[in-house]
Amino acid sequence: MCGIVGYVGYRDALDVVVDALRRMEYRGYDSAGVAILDGNGSIAVERKAGRLANLEAELAETGHFAGAAGTGHTRWATHGAPTDRNAHPHRDPSGKFAVVHNGIIENFAPLRRELEDAGIELLSDTDTEVAVHLVARAYAEGPTAGDFTGSVLSVLQRLEGAFTLVFTHADHPGTIVAARQSTPLVVGVGDGEMFVASDVTAFIEYTREAVELGQNQAVVITADGYTVTDFFGNTAGVVSRPFTIDWDLAAAEKGGHDYFMLKEIEEQPTAIADTLIGHFVVDEQGGRIVLDEQRLTDQELREFDKVFVVACGSSYHAGLLAKYAIEHWTRVPVEVELASEFRYRDPVLDRSTLVVAISQSGETADTLEAVRHAKEQKARVLAICNTNGAQIPREADAVIYTRTGPEIGVASTKAFLAQIAANYLVGLALAQARGTKYPDEVAREFAELESMPALISRVLESAPKVRAIARELAHVPTVLFLGRHVGYPVALEGALKLKELAYLHAEGFAAGELKHGPIALIEDGLPVIVVMPSPKGRAVLHSKLLSNIREIQARGARTIVIAEEGDDTVRPFADDLIEIPAVPTLYQPLLSTVPLQIFAAEIAQTLGYDVDKPRNLAKSVTVE
Ligand code: F6R
């Protein structure tokens, strides 16, 4: 997740900006840069791939950039590899404008074409660069000529997607113009100095007075004040929220939570929304799914006769869900395999096999080796990954990025949910290429995905209830999880979360398997968490699972049931009921997983464990 800062005031801007970037390092980044206005009509820019230390070393060599205004950026690559050339700030050809950006400009392709047709040479692979060129053109001629703020506003009106943008101009050293649409931007209000930043950690050392901007708002800051407008320059009806920061720095990084994982659970609606951005492009036929780095042609997508999904841990559980969606939508057979097992059993792979490799880190050794094995066998590989520039996407033939920003908690939460969404994009891309779904059906499924962020937010509202149940159960020795169909991988994921965070014995079962052995585990008071399917979509499954619950309740289990809102048939069998919104079957895991994450985190916290760093575990497992 990129980190952005802008400063105008009386201090040394370079010091302020670099300090701010250091404090935002926790957001994760792969390159960093600064632009400092000298006050005499020039902007000095330095940017470097890699750690902030690389940028600082470069700055030490070039000499200190003096000035009382500037911007800084840490980049988490989305469009274009993490290189010096793609690092921010980006400038226009005159070198007068500089921009830093967080997010994705969805319509960058036609804008880039428009600029290239006008003879402008773009120097990076980023979507960001188009913004600075467009603003420079609006400033050079036309109705906003010579008007810095007006030029920025005129371009904001043309941009689609999710973005925070911060512009500076060498001839206006006392002014910074920034804007947000969907991604974060806060203003820091100082005495004789003003800040804009991705989050308050950037300026918490200098001021505790802040203003949160609303959606689609722009802000102009000078050392003495700020003005918030909409993208058309109107102030009337534009509401921003002033607040006083009462967190210390450590709490501020975690959004006020005790742990990053808790923040990451809350970030899931945004993680899904960001992952979907740009993947559905409207065209004459109504629209189509596009991948990020589409190095597989439609012809190739049509010719695959088999799909393998390989992954580890939570990513494997997300992979299990891919099978339901891809087989249902495309009728192509899908096998899901633990990456650590895959290459040792000589799987049947050839040119007509698509291997989908899912990895948050993109560096997991087992998954990487599975990818290499698949490629040796001439299979084509599509990676689903959260880390741009990591090894797995580099070696894959095509990529979909889960754009969740860095996941700092060791236990996967937001990346897991985003992987499910990405799997469904793969399924839809295959269905579209193979003609197993009509364009309007693909569009409908994509709209379902787009409705998920709001529904996940609703599930998050049930957190207090889930936490109360968790606290009651914190001292039990075992918890079982049951699910059927897409509820089964959810049960596995719920059990994994509890094992790794709370060090409890937990098992996930396909509910139908219970009678074949595990039911012997049931005893008085044993908590069993049941993920109920919808009573509508899969009525048979629903009634089968009701029978399973009856069986375990009769043997004394305490049942904690996650069920669709309005599912009254389940009430008599639920000692505790957690309701989630009704959605089509395939989408339920995006909702039913959330209470299980909260449950595991709360038990771990009650037992006094560090949920961000469970014992014996690493975030990225680079050994086989
Ligand atoms: C569990 C968890 C792990 C990872 C697994 C794969 O919460 O985070 O099971 O899912 O180690 O990691 P990636 O996705 O980075 O390949």
Side-chain angles (χ1 to χ4, degrees):
M1 226 172 350
C2 303
I4 284 185
V5 61
Y7 174 77
V8 197
Y10 54 86
R11 299 175 204 265
D12 183 278
L14 184 61
D15 286 348
V16 172
V17 162
V18 172
D19 276 356
L21 295 184
R22 193 168 300 111
R23 280 194 295 276
M24 288 192 289
E25 273 191 302
Y26 77 93
R27 296 169 67 89
Y29 66 101
D30 44 46
S31 45
V34 293
I36 303 297
L37 293 106
D38 71 356
N40 297 314
S42 295
I43 302 187
V45 169
E46 194 60 79
R47 49 202 191 139
K48 247 4 235 168
R51 309 300 299 168
L52 196 50
N54 296 2
L55 175 71
E56 289 179 288
E58 198 69 20
L59 285 167
E61 243 173 62
T62 16
H64 196 89
F65 296 160
T71 56
H73 188 262
T74 44
R75 174 171 188 248
W76 175 264
T78 50
H79 273 272
T83 57
D84 288 357
R85 199 166 66 91
N86 289 332
H88 300 208
H90 290 280
R91 274 180 295 182
D92 73 312
S94 75
K96 290 272 184 185
F97 275 103
V99 69
V100 291
H101 167 218
N102 171 22
I104 294 151
I105 298 173
E106 254 186 85
N107 57 335
F108 94 100
L111 295 174
R112 190 177 174 112
R113 264 198 308 279
E114 174 186 319
L115 290 165
E116 283 169 347
D117 289 349
I120 292 170
E121 189 195 353
L122 285 100
L123 303 175
S124 74
D125 311 315
T126 64
D127 50 342
T128 309
E129 199 187 340
V130 298
V132 76
H133 289 294
L134 289 171
V135 171
R137 272 162 50 98
Y139 186 82
E141 57 186 19
T144 56
D147 172 1
F148 176 23
T149 306
S151 302
V152 173
L153 292 177
S154 73
V155 172
L156 294 173
Q157 293 159 25
R158 299 187 61 195
L159 302 182
E160 290 165 20
F163 50 81
T164 299
L165 289 158
V166 181
F167 293 91
T168 44
H169 188 283
D171 295 338
H172 303 270
T175 306
I176 291 181
V177 186
R180 75 168 283 219
Q181 176 163 303
S182 293
T183 45
L185 182 64
V186 251
V187 179
V189 184
D191 189 4
E193 58 184 349
M194 297 290 293
F195 305 78
V196 282
S198 303
D199 69 50
V200 298
T201 53
F203 52 74
I204 200 166
E205 192 181 314
Y206 308 105
T207 178
R208 293 193 161 253
E209 298 311 314
V211 181
E212 187 182 309
L213 293 197
Q215 288 297 352
N216 304 345
Q217 291 185 354
V219 63
V220 180
I221 62 166
T222 62
D224 303 319
Y226 70 94
T227 311
V228 182
T229 69
D230 63 16
F231 288 177
F232 297 88
N234 302 309
T235 48
V238 174
V239 184
S240 52
R241 189 180 70 87
F243 63 104
T244 304
I245 307 158
D246 51 14
W247 300 326
D248 61 15
L249 179 59
E253 284 180 349
K254 295 171 189 136
H257 296 282
D258 290 339
Y259 292 100
F260 281 108
M261 182 191 168
L262 307 181
K263 176 169 173 250
E264 287 159 4
I265 289 174
E266 283 203 352
E267 284 171 351
Q268 294 185 110
T270 318
I272 300 294
D274 289 353
T275 296
L276 296 178
I277 287 175
H279 285 302
F280 188 77
V281 175
V282 178
D283 63 12
E284 303 83 57
Q285 278 80 46
R288 49 184 291 109
I289 299 285
V290 287
L291 307 181
D292 281 323
E293 292 175 22
Q294 175 99 45
R295 297 182 291 249
L296 290 171
T297 63
D298 269 7
Q299 182 64 22
E300 285 173 298
L301 292 176
R302 273 195 287 280
E303 283 169 1
F304 293 125
D305 58 15
K306 187 168 40 173
V307 176
F308 269 100
V309 182
V310 290
C312 304
S314 291
S315 301
Y316 169 73
H317 297 153
L320 291 173
L321 291 164
K323 179 177 171 76
Y324 295 89
I326 299 176
E327 289 188 342
H328 179 62
W329 287 333
T330 68
R331 312 310 299 149
V332 179
V334 180
E335 284 192 48
V336 190
E337 184 124 15
L338 289 166
S340 53
E341 293 291 320
F342 179 70
R343 73 192 171 114
Y344 297 107
R345 67 162 188 87
D346 197 13
V348 183
L349 302 164
D350 57 32
R351 273 172 218 288
S352 56
T353 313
L354 174 67
V355 172
V356 179
I358 309 175
S359 175
Q360 185 284 131
S361 59
E363 301 288 349
T364 299
D366 290 314
T367 313
L368 180 59
E369 290 306 329
V371 165
R372 288 178 176 158
H373 181 74
K375 294 200 80 172
E376 275 162 24
Q377 306 296 310
K378 306 282 179 267
R380 308 304 302 277
V381 176
L382 189 155
I384 292 177
C385 184
N386 197 39
T387 319
N388 199 307
Q391 198 60 27
I392 292 171
R394 275 214 298 273
E395 296 192 20
D397 297 299
V399 186
I400 292 189
Y401 287 107
T402 46
R403 302 197 198 98
T404 74
E407 200 177 51
I408 295 171
V410 163
S412 187
T413 52
K414 60 178 180 175
F416 174 74
L417 245 57
Q419 285 167 347
I420 302 174
N423 282 331
Y424 290 3
L425 292 175
V426 175
L428 292 175
L430 283 166
Q432 156 185 287
R434 304 169 80 89
T436 52
K437 282 231 162 264
Y438 290 113
D440 62 321
E441 293 173 312
V442 172
R444 257 203 311 280
E445 298 295 347
F446 189 79
E448 286 295 349
L449 278 172
E450 280 190 309
S451 71
M452 287 299 128
L455 299 177
I456 297 167
S457 298
R458 265 175 57 196
V459 177
L460 287 168
E461 287 167 18
S462 66
K465 182 171 185 182
V466 178
R467 287 199 203 104
I469 300 170
R471 282 194 296 274
E472 264 182 62
L473 295 176
H475 297 282
V476 299
T478 299
V479 181
L480 302 186
F481 294 76
L482 299 184
R484 290 188 91 121
H485 192 261
V486 291
Y488 170 44
V490 174
L492 294 177
E493 177 62 8
L496 176 60
K497 289 280 98 75
L498 198 55
K499 280 182 245 197
E500 65 180 329
L501 294 171
Y503 321 145
L504 277 189
H505 173 237
E507 299 253 15
F509 294 112
E513 274 295 292
L514 208 62
K515 55 188 175 297
H516 299 291
I519 198 161
L521 291 168
I522 307 288
E523 55 185 23
D524 222 22
L526 181 91
V528 182
I529 300 192
V530 186
V531 184
M532 278 305 284
S534 165
K536 294 178 221 102
R538 305 250 155 189
V540 188
L541 278 183
H542 184 269
S543 63
K544 292 265 186 296
L545 204 48
L546 276 188
S547 320
N548 297 142
I549 304 183
R550 238 180 251 134
E551 282 160 14
I552 56 168
Q553 240 192 355
R555 287 162 179 80
R558 171 171 173 177
T559 56
I560 300 120
V561 179
I562 299 174
E564 206 172 280
E565 284 163 357
D567 179 358
D568 291 326
T569 50
V570 85
R571 282 180 189 275
F573 307 106
D575 294 319
D576 299 285
L577 181 64
I578 298 159
E579 291 183 293
I580 55 173
V583 289
T585 303
L586 281 174
Y587 299 92
Q588 201 207 48
L590 288 158
L591 307 183
S592 53
T593 306
V594 177
L596 304 186
Q597 299 166 337
I598 298 168
F599 179 77
E602 185 67 20
I603 292 199
Q605 279 186 283
T606 309
L607 296 174
Y609 301 137
D610 179 340
V611 298
D612 281 343
K613 296 192 192 80
R615 70 184 180 200
N616 307 338
L617 293 174
K619 185 67 186 160
S620 167
V621 186
T622 51
V623 288
E624 269 194 84

